[in-house]
Amino acid sequence: MQEATSKEKVLKKVRKALIQKTKNPYPNLDYDSKIYSVTNESLDILFAEEFTKVSGQFVYCENEEEFIQLISSLANEREWSNLHAVDKNIFDYLENGNLKFTSDEAGFLIANVGITLCEYLSARTGSIIISSKQLSGRRLSVFPPVHIVVAYSSQLVFDIKEALTGIKNKYGENIPSMISIISGPSRSADIEKTLVMGAHGPKEVFVFLIDDTIID
């Protein structure tokens, strides 16, 4: 009986609080100004510095031709045999580099390298922003042990807030159901405080940044 009485007292206070309106004690808070000061450092350099700090591997490419050469060289060096991609823009790169790859379900299940595009790169945090609206979907960036991201200089923004604003402007009301922020390879130290790479995702993450801002 005492428990019911105590419960009723609590509910009565909750009802009273909901009825009574409380003035906002901080009406002049600024939600729009940037929290972090913008650096004068080039965004590609800042991204490379921050991305490598979290064990990401960064490769700068002056143009698409250099990208094809570099990824072909890396694939041969690492002896990657099961590359998987689903974006037609990536197909052209791989075919020009004479790299064998798959794009079907059977190939996905045995893929050891997944190659995707991205939405944006956040320079301040060294992060890759991807979404479910991309052709690679939700799983290609997670399932294979190696994730290669093909990005362009025009996709570099200073921080994640700018990236999210860009996604909102791009898709309007049809916002992606999943937006993921990737900051280096998957890792965990939950078990006996021992760092394990690739705990619930790729062990290695590469970003090939193609400069698309150079005007001939």
Side-chain angles (χ1 to χ4, degrees), residues 24-97:
N24 183 358
Y26 308 105
N28 298 318
L29 285 178
D30 181 4
Y31 293 100
D32 297 321
S33 297
K34 293 183 180 296
I35 298 175
Y36 303 96
S37 57
V38 179
T39 178
N40 292 325
E41 192 170 17
S42 175
L43 290 182
D44 54 353
I45 294 176
L46 179 60
F47 175 83
E49 291 175 347
E50 297 302 319
F51 185 60
T52 53
K53 284 180 183 178
V54 292
S55 302
Q57 302 190 57
F58 178 82
V59 183
Y60 174 80
C61 309
E62 288 189 355
N63 49 48
E64 294 177 342
E65 289 74 20
E66 184 175 25
F67 164 67
I68 293 170
Q69 295 174 3
L70 291 174
I71 194 171
S72 298
S73 176
L74 183 63
N76 292 328
E77 178 185 332
R78 294 292 192 91
E79 297 182 345
W80 287 333
S81 55
N82 297 309
L83 283 73
H84 191 83
V86 294
D87 194 297
K88 292 182 179 179
N89 293 328
I90 296 177
F91 291 175
D92 292 338
Y93 293 140
L94 299 179
E95 288 170 355
N96 289 335

Side-chain angles (χ1 to χ4, degrees), residues 47 50-57 120-130 141 147 149 160 180-187 197 200 202-207:
F47 175 83
E50 297 302 319
F51 185 60
T52 53
K53 284 180 183 178
V54 292
S55 302
Q57 302 190 57
Y120 288 97
L121 299 177
S122 168
R124 191 189 71 79
T125 56
S127 302
I128 306 157
I129 293 85
I130 63 173
S141 61
H147 180 201
V149 178
I160 292 172
S180 292
I181 300 171
I182 302 171
S183 298
S186 168
R187 71 195 70 203
M197 302 297 287
H200 42 71
K203 293 182 179 180
E204 293 183 287
V205 179
F206 291 81
V207 168

